[in-house]
Amino acid sequence: MKRPTRIRLIAVGAALAVIVAGVLAAPRPPTLSTSATGDPGLAQSLADKAGIEPGARDTLVTAVIDAEGVAYAGLGADETTEFEIGSITKTFTALLLAQAVERGEVALTDPVGDYLDLGDSAAADVTLADLSSHRSGLPRIAITVSALATSLWSSYRGSDPYPFDLAALEEHARAAALTDPGTVAYSNLGVALLGQALAAAAGTDYPELLQTRVLEPLGMAHTSIAVTADALPAGARTGYTTAGRPADAWTMGAYAPAGAIRSTAADMALYAQALLSADPALGVDPATVLDPQGPAGAGPLIGLAWFTQAPEDGTATWHNGGTGGFASMLALDRTANRAVIVLGNTATSVDALAMSILEENK
């Protein structure tokens, strides 16, 4: 054999060895845990329905709330396990809005520019109510070059796409054009502005406002919000993308009011029970936030953050959530005084799973 040929074969063999080693060393996508907790029948239902939506699964937990109390079940998790709840956070921000109106701190018709530095931008005139009900006309995410670049890079790396402080958030709003104001178009930017405006009106920051006005009154001792990665406790739980790749925690900086709460099924059950029972600890009648505010065009009806299915599609009032590594769903059947929570530590949706459990437990 000629020497160059032998060298080429050695090189090819070395390259293959590197590829094989890389494949073997790569993280394995998770598979749904078979370790059941809580109510056996509910855990089996959770396992049977887990494949309703495609994508990686690792651990799941559910809570079913009705007049008899709360039933929990999990696969690889239980009611004390922490999850990122993503955009369900928006319902807490909406509750803070309703409370602030009740306290006389703000009015639903106040322009957000009364509380934040938005200059003479179009965003400055958007009302607090329209921010909460996604009728502001603001885009879903910031559209500045740097914000879009950050979003793309974070999608590639599985990192937090919202590492922005308040000054950056305000810059994003000043740069945004409004599209079809009055029509529902989901906006993380809008709800982030709302939460920061409410904090400014109260003379505090968003985490403190959430803690003192919602979490403490409802006894949600295992629910938290950290707006920077440094503020997360050591060993804070992380999740996986829909493809099963590890994803970083989302703390979301100034965008935290749109999706940064971390909670447990037990604490979320307390929240659901308060909404169903009109617990005075809420500070307002829950109908204030839950009842639809008007038609949403071709989409669902919407109140202050909460979506309600059209009558022909059922009676659920709901909000879901998703971060880079977690998915969540809270659905209320207000007529039957029943609710379902499903939390997962992958980005694979749990919406259909939660709705199926809600229907099953009529």
Side-chain angles (χ1 to χ4, degrees):
M1 181 182 291
K2 294 182 180 179
R3 184 176 179 81
T5 300
R6 185 162 52 247
I7 292 173
R8 283 196 296 272
L9 289 174
I10 292 171
V12 170
L16 288 172
V18 169
I19 292 170
V20 170
V23 170
L24 293 176
R28 299 287 184 182
T31 56
L32 182 59
S33 174
T34 57
S35 177
T37 64
D39 181 274
L42 187 55
Q44 186 60 55
S45 180
L46 193 63
D48 291 343
K49 298 174 186 299
I52 287 177
E53 291 161 295
R57 298 281 192 205
D58 181 37
T59 66
L60 289 167
V61 67
T62 188
V64 177
I65 300 97
D66 59 25
E68 297 180 1
V70 185
Y72 298 105
L75 298 170
D78 63 23
E79 65 270 22
T80 68
T81 306
E82 183 181 76
F83 294 80
E84 293 176 355
I85 66 167
S87 285
I88 296 179
T89 301
K90 291 178 174 69
T91 70
F92 289 82
T93 301
L95 177 57
L96 289 170
L97 171 59
Q99 291 177 345
V101 172
E102 185 71 17
R103 288 167 172 259
E105 291 175 347
V106 304
L108 290 175
T109 54
D110 285 350
V112 66
D114 285 357
Y115 305 100
L116 298 176
D117 180 15
L118 304 183
D120 60 356
S121 65
D125 294 328
V126 173
T127 69
L128 302 183
D130 281 348
L131 291 174
S132 181
S133 62
H134 298 291
R135 293 186 172 91
S136 66
L138 286 164
R140 185 183 186 96
I141 60 173
I143 57 173
T144 64
V145 172
S146 61
L148 289 173
T150 298
S151 180
L152 288 171
W153 179 241
S154 66
S155 178
Y156 172 74
R157 292 189 64 247
S159 58
D160 182 358
Y162 299 97
F164 304 110
D165 61 15
L166 179 58
L169 172 65
E170 291 172 328
E171 177 189 353
H172 295 164
R174 289 193 296 267
L178 304 186
T179 303
D180 297 328
T183 299
V184 171
Y186 198 81
S187 176
N188 289 320
L189 172 59
V191 180
L193 291 169
L194 173 63
Q196 297 301 338
L198 294 173
T204 186
D205 58 31
Y206 182 83
E208 181 66 18
L209 187 67
L210 177 71
Q211 183 68 33
T212 58
R213 294 192 180 178
V214 180
L215 303 184
E216 288 179 2
L218 293 181
M220 298 177 69
H222 301 288
T223 300
S224 63
I225 191 164
V227 299
T228 65
D230 292 343
L232 286 169
R237 197 167 189 238
T238 56
Y240 300 88
T241 68
T242 55
R245 293 187 294 110
D248 291 345
W250 282 22
T251 52
M252 300 183 68
Y255 279 79
I261 289 178
R262 302 171 72 91
S263 191
T264 66
D267 269 17
M268 292 301 292
L270 291 174
Y271 182 47
Q273 286 176 311
L275 290 166
L276 290 173
S277 65
D279 188 333
L282 288 170
V284 295
D285 184 334
T288 307
V289 293
L290 296 174
D291 284 355
Q293 301 264 317
L301 302 172
I302 184 169
L304 298 183
W306 287 94
F307 293 93
T308 295
Q309 291 179 335
E312 61 269 21
D313 295 324
T315 56
T317 299
W318 59 272
H319 209 295
N320 59 1
T323 63
F326 293 84
S328 60
M329 180 65 157
L330 171 54
L332 311 171
D333 183 337
R334 298 167 65 191
T335 302
N337 200 39
R338 185 175 63 253
V340 168
I341 299 149
V342 177
L343 306 174
N345 74 320
T346 72
T348 302
S349 172
V350 295
D351 296 0
L353 175 54
M355 288 298 193
S356 179
I357 292 174
L358 185 67
E359 287 296 311
E360 183 181 70
N361 285 269
K362 278 188 173 180

